[in-house]
Amino acid sequence: MVNQPEFDVFLAHNSQDKPQVKAIASELKRRGLKVWIDEEQILPGRPFQDVIQQAISNVKSAAIFIGSQGLGKWQVMELRILISQCVDADIPVIPVLLPGVEGIPGDLLFLQQFNCLSFASGIDDVGVLDKLVSGITQEQPKSSPKTAGNFDVLLCYDDEDRSEVQQIAEQLRQRQIRPWLNLWEVPPGRSWQELLAAQIAQIHSVAIFIGSKSSPWQKEEIESFIWEFIELKRPVIPVILPNVLQEPQLPIYLRSRTRVDFHQDKAEAFYNLEWGITQRKPGNSPKILEENNFSVQETNCYVRLEELLVQHGVNKPSIRQLTLYPYMSTEKV
């Protein structure tokens, strides 16, 4: 009979972050999880590394907490060894960013292969705690039912642009477009590459987000996915984020593709992004929406009114002509 691991999660952290990590550990315990934290498990005088080696075989997952001071006694080589052991044992590895940390530090970029969590709003963020529990147990949280089926677009981005891309993804959802975003589709601690490779046949397009310092295609694993979309003749859409102030240096296979530019006009950018993803022109012109500050319902009425006026001999009516009839029944035109 195989012995079951005694602990649900191993908590790796810098001693300077211990107050925050202990608070998170207390919440995990309150939710019924057994946590491995050094001050409770390592006796004085015991070699730190030796105890860690033994602990890995006795846990179901590992959470790597990254604070503003890095990992302290957790040297990069030791962390690589820990992760290698976890991967070999099929144990989820969950990078966790503590408040004040915006992304994976440069000396820990190898952690980007795992879907990470961020306590940017504070360690009492219930939504992030729910996701941490989900990553530890590998069970979908009740507030985020597991999705299935096809996706309209894969969103490729660098970690530093995460917040901005997530906001764009939310807007796409409101437009009835279903994005594949690793933050939503990959359980914390699991490799996003594995899950994406299994689902790529169900994704109809890819949007590549370019920030002021980011070049997602420079990562070998992302570039391989981009080329797969190119070979499948699916839309590949470069998207310029608002923080880009200079002309980005794109690779040749992206230069020839029409880009979407959020640096200039947000309404028009969403219009073009939806057009690129669906390969159909959206019904509402962003220019009408912007120049007249109409609601979506009003814009639909004006588009229909324009069609009817053209049918009755008014050649390409102007915005001024259309606004003369804001309350006219379209049946009476």
Side-chain angles (χ1 to χ4, degrees):
M1 182 177 177
V2 179
N3 292 329
Q4 293 295 317
E6 181 181 354
F7 296 93
D8 293 296
V9 61
F10 174 93
L11 306 183
H13 62 283
N14 188 326
S15 59
Q16 295 185 43
D17 299 317
K18 190 171 291 293
Q20 295 182 93
V21 175
K22 285 180 67 176
I24 294 171
S26 295
E27 180 60 26
L28 294 177
K29 290 177 182 177
R30 191 185 70 80
R31 296 180 180 217
L33 298 178
K34 296 189 68 175
V35 304
W36 194 106
I37 189 167
D38 55 1
E39 69 175 23
E40 297 177 1
Q41 302 301 325
I42 301 180
L43 296 174
R46 289 289 306 277
F48 180 80
Q49 292 85 350
D50 291 349
V51 177
I52 299 304
Q53 295 274 348
Q54 297 171 7
I56 293 304
S57 61
N58 202 26
V59 298
K60 299 176 184 177
S61 64
I64 315 296
F65 289 89
I66 303 169
S68 57
Q69 302 300 316
L71 286 174
K73 61 186 175 182
W74 281 88
Q75 300 301 318
V76 173
M77 184 59 70
E78 293 172 334
L79 183 58
R80 284 185 180 274
I81 293 172
L82 167 68
I83 290 174
S84 177
Q85 291 174 332
C86 290
V87 170
D88 289 344
D90 197 28
I91 293 173
V93 176
I94 311 166
V96 181
L97 307 182
L98 292 171
V101 180
E102 295 183 356
I104 301 292
D107 59 340
L108 301 176
L109 290 180
F110 55 88
L111 287 175
Q112 287 187 348
Q113 64 182 298
F114 304 103
N115 202 21
C116 74
L117 295 174
S118 174
F119 280 98
S121 300
I123 60 173
D124 57 349
D125 188 322
V126 175
V128 180
L129 284 166
D130 287 343
K131 291 179 181 178
L132 180 55
V133 173
S134 171
I136 293 168
T137 62
Q138 293 297 288
E139 295 177 357
Q140 198 76 8
K142 294 180 181 179
S143 58
S144 300
K146 187 172 180 60
T147 55
N150 294 333
F151 295 86
D152 296 301
V153 60
L154 164 66
L155 306 184
C156 287
Y157 63 97
D158 271 354
D159 196 57
E160 64 183 26
D161 299 317
R162 168 202 303 250
S163 176
E164 203 150 19
V165 172
Q166 188 169 359
Q167 291 176 23
I168 292 173
E170 294 283 6
Q171 289 288 323
L172 291 175
R173 273 183 169 178
Q174 292 179 22
R175 294 164 179 257
Q176 306 304 310
I177 292 173
R178 188 177 176 191
W180 195 101
L181 183 66
N182 63 317
L183 300 173
W184 296 341
E185 303 303 330
V186 183
R190 286 299 181 187
S191 168
W192 62 266
Q193 294 97 323
E194 286 184 23
L195 190 55
L196 177 56
Q199 294 183 328
I200 197 166
Q202 300 169 293
I203 307 174
H204 301 165
S205 64
V206 58
I208 302 146
F209 290 87
I210 299 107
S212 60
K213 299 179 181 178
S214 60
S215 306
W217 59 86
Q218 292 184 354
K219 295 185 178 71
E220 184 177 344
E221 65 274 16
I222 291 182
E223 186 175 42
S224 66
F225 284 122
I226 293 172
W227 272 108
E228 188 158 350
F229 278 92
I230 292 173
E231 291 169 0
L232 291 169
K233 300 189 184 306
R234 294 177 184 173
V236 176
I237 310 162
V239 181
I240 312 299
L241 291 171
N243 60 8
V244 177
L245 302 180
Q246 299 178 348
E247 179 67 19
Q249 299 298 312
L250 302 178
I252 293 175
Y253 57 84
L254 290 182
R255 285 180 213 160
S256 61
R257 297 175 184 273
T258 304
R259 67 183 66 174
V260 172
D261 194 346
F262 278 91
H263 178 257
Q264 296 179 354
D265 184 288
K266 189 173 181 180
E268 186 171 357
F270 272 114
Y271 180 88
N272 289 331
L273 182 56
E274 182 177 347
W275 185 7
I277 292 169
T278 64
Q279 296 294 287
R280 298 187 306 273
K281 267 195 172 185
N284 301 323
S285 167
K287 293 300 182 185
I288 294 178
L289 205 59
E290 179 183 358
E291 292 174 9
N292 297 277
N293 194 29
F294 295 154
S295 69
V296 172
Q297 289 83 2
E298 288 175 320
T299 304
N300 285 334
C301 290
Y302 286 128
V303 169
R304 175 63 180 147
L305 181 57
E306 179 181 357
E307 293 172 351
L308 290 170
L309 287 171
V310 170
Q311 290 174 14
H312 287 77
V314 179
N315 187 26
K316 293 184 178 179
S318 65
I319 295 298
R320 178 176 174 79
Q321 286 175 297
L322 289 177
T323 55
L324 292 175
Y325 311 98
Y327 304 107
M328 181 180 292
S329 169
T330 55
E331 279 76 17
K332 296 180 180 179
V333 176

